[in-house]
Amino acid sequence: MKLTRLLAAVAATAALSAGFAAQAREYSVSTVLSDAFPWGQAAQKWAELVNERSEGRITLRVYPNAQLVAGDQTKEFSAMRSGLIDMAVGSTINWSPQVPELNLFSLPFLMKDNADLDAITQGEAGKLSFAAIEQRGIVPLAWGENGFREVSNSRKPVRAPADLAGLKIRVVGSPLFQDTFSALGANPTQMSWADAKPALTTGAVDGQENPLSVFDVARVDQVGQKYLTLWHYMADPLIFAVNQRVWKTLPEEDRELLRQAALDAGKWEVELSRSQQAKRLEDIRSRGVEVVELNDAERQAFVDATRSVHEKWAPKIGDKLLDAARSAIAKP
């Protein structure tokens, strides 16, 4: 009798262990930057929170440097939608070819500061942006941020559109960026970041545009970028998201766990990123970079020079979303 009970207990334990193993799951998470940058740290924080809160039952394995799409960050959204990637902490810029509404955040000089950005992402415009993503087979969970993008070059300080005339500026693979820099008189040159640093080193291109975190961590000043203009011409929010088919397989409690962990990781990363800006700028200046900060009149000249870009891209973004964004910014 005792042996029978013992065998039954062993069988029950084995069944429980098998059940736990069956429930334990690992998912891939794509990011473009590693955890040397706030972007990569956001994905890592999400993975840590999910692992901790699920008590190891759910593992998010982070794949940085766009390695799941062979370095082509603009293919990340499509790869996630097709199921090659389970989840991602992605950029509105990189996803905009598949979700045109996300070009909202790349409109030049739409937002002045973090308050404007928060008004958009945390309001009706943010909800509409998430709805546009969900319509394409991806479930968005939370916002993070890659920061406002600034412009640098190797030739001269930039205070007015005329200062950009003829400069070869490396830009990401988005037609909107081409239109923006063309409107400013520059010569935009599309290339990957892997190709950009050698091109900056040799002088094949004169400048580039990126958030301060990228300029700082990637030491862009070491490839001839001695002039940096803080013009906040656009912001690049990050989005924590899950493939829709993966999402549908999850029980409700796991969906809520993933969503809340994403919200918490996003909030943590936004605070981290913003808290580092002053120190990053101080370090960049200490390395001999000349930093230009535009006054209101100087900024307005850039606003005026890029109005045609807004007019061209408004139909692609949609009036409802644009109106919601502009209304949010206009509120005191």
Side-chain angles (χ1 to χ4, degrees):
M1 184 65 71
K2 288 183 178 179
L3 179 59
T4 301
R5 286 199 297 268
L6 177 61
L7 290 173
V10 169
T13 300
L16 284 171
S17 298
F20 180 83
Q23 292 177 6
R25 294 293 302 274
E26 178 176 304
Y27 300 97
S28 59
V29 180
S30 175
T31 69
V32 169
L33 295 179
S34 73
D35 60 8
F37 303 84
W39 187 341
Q41 291 165 14
Q44 199 59 50
K45 185 70 171 179
W46 190 21
E48 290 169 2
L49 290 176
V50 168
N51 183 269
E52 174 188 320
R53 294 174 185 180
S54 70
E55 298 181 334
R57 187 169 48 82
I58 303 174
T59 298
L60 305 188
R61 185 171 299 279
V62 179
Y63 293 87
N65 303 314
Q67 59 184 283
L68 296 179
V69 285
D72 188 346
Q73 57 211 57
T74 61
K75 293 182 178 178
E76 182 180 71
F77 188 88
S78 296
M80 182 166 48
R81 183 168 54 187
S82 69
L84 295 175
I85 295 171
D86 298 321
M87 307 180 189
V89 180
S91 154
T92 55
I93 297 172
N94 294 333
W95 292 5
S96 63
Q98 291 79 40
V99 189
E101 292 88 344
L102 295 181
N103 284 294
L104 170 75
F105 299 96
S106 297
L107 283 177
F109 306 102
L110 173 67
M111 298 163 280
K112 281 187 176 181
D113 51 29
N114 289 329
D116 285 352
L117 175 58
D118 291 345
I120 291 175
T121 59
Q122 304 308 310
E124 181 63 21
K127 293 176 184 177
L128 291 171
S129 298
F130 271 17
I133 293 169
E134 193 148 12
Q135 287 169 6
R136 273 99 174 171
I138 301 297
V139 181
L141 304 179
W143 295 98
E145 73 180 37
N146 193 29
F148 279 89
R149 298 175 80 91
E150 321 295 1
V151 67
S152 71
N153 78 95
S154 60
R155 292 173 56 184
K156 58 185 175 180
V158 171
R159 285 191 173 277
D163 296 327
L164 282 168
L167 291 185
K168 294 179 182 178
I169 305 293
R170 176 266 173 181
V171 296
V172 299
S174 164
L176 199 160
F177 284 69
Q178 297 275 345
D179 289 345
T180 296
F181 280 89
S182 294
L184 293 169
N187 179 9
T189 304
Q190 179 185 325
M191 62 177 65
S192 71
W193 185 241
D195 294 331
K197 290 195 76 174
L200 290 166
T201 301
T202 62
V205 293
D206 302 308
Q208 60 85 52
E209 50 78 48
N210 256 310
L212 279 184
S213 60
V214 174
F215 189 99
D216 183 28
V217 177
R219 294 302 303 271
V220 183
D221 54 286
Q222 292 184 340
V223 290
Q225 299 297 284
K226 296 303 182 184
Y227 303 98
L228 174 66
T229 296
L230 305 182
W231 62 348
H232 273 36
Y233 88 110
M234 62 149 292
D236 183 20
L238 303 177
I239 299 169
F240 294 71
V242 182
N243 168 278
Q244 203 170 73
R245 290 191 293 276
V246 170
W247 187 253
K248 289 178 178 177
T249 66
L250 297 170
E252 186 58 39
E253 63 180 297
D254 287 350
R255 293 181 188 179
E256 182 54 32
L257 188 155
L258 278 168
R259 187 188 304 276
Q260 191 58 53
L263 287 166
D264 293 343
K267 181 180 178 182
W268 173 86
E269 186 266 343
V270 168
E271 292 174 353
L272 173 70
S273 179
R274 293 180 184 181
S275 70
Q276 293 174 338
Q277 294 302 294
K279 181 64 166 59
R280 289 195 190 283
L281 193 53
E282 180 184 335
D283 290 346
I284 289 168
R285 280 191 167 111
S286 73
R287 299 199 293 264
V289 176
E290 182 177 334
V291 178
V292 171
E293 298 188 59
L294 302 180
N295 60 37
D296 289 344
E298 288 169 334
R299 182 182 185 277
Q300 188 59 45
F302 287 98
V303 172
D304 295 340
T306 53
R307 288 194 193 282
S308 61
V309 181
H310 285 242
E311 293 168 2
K312 177 178 179 179
W313 282 83
K316 298 180 176 70
I317 295 166
D319 291 338
K320 187 176 180 181
L321 178 54
L322 261 176
D323 289 346
R326 287 168 175 159
S327 296
I329 291 172
K331 287 181 180 178

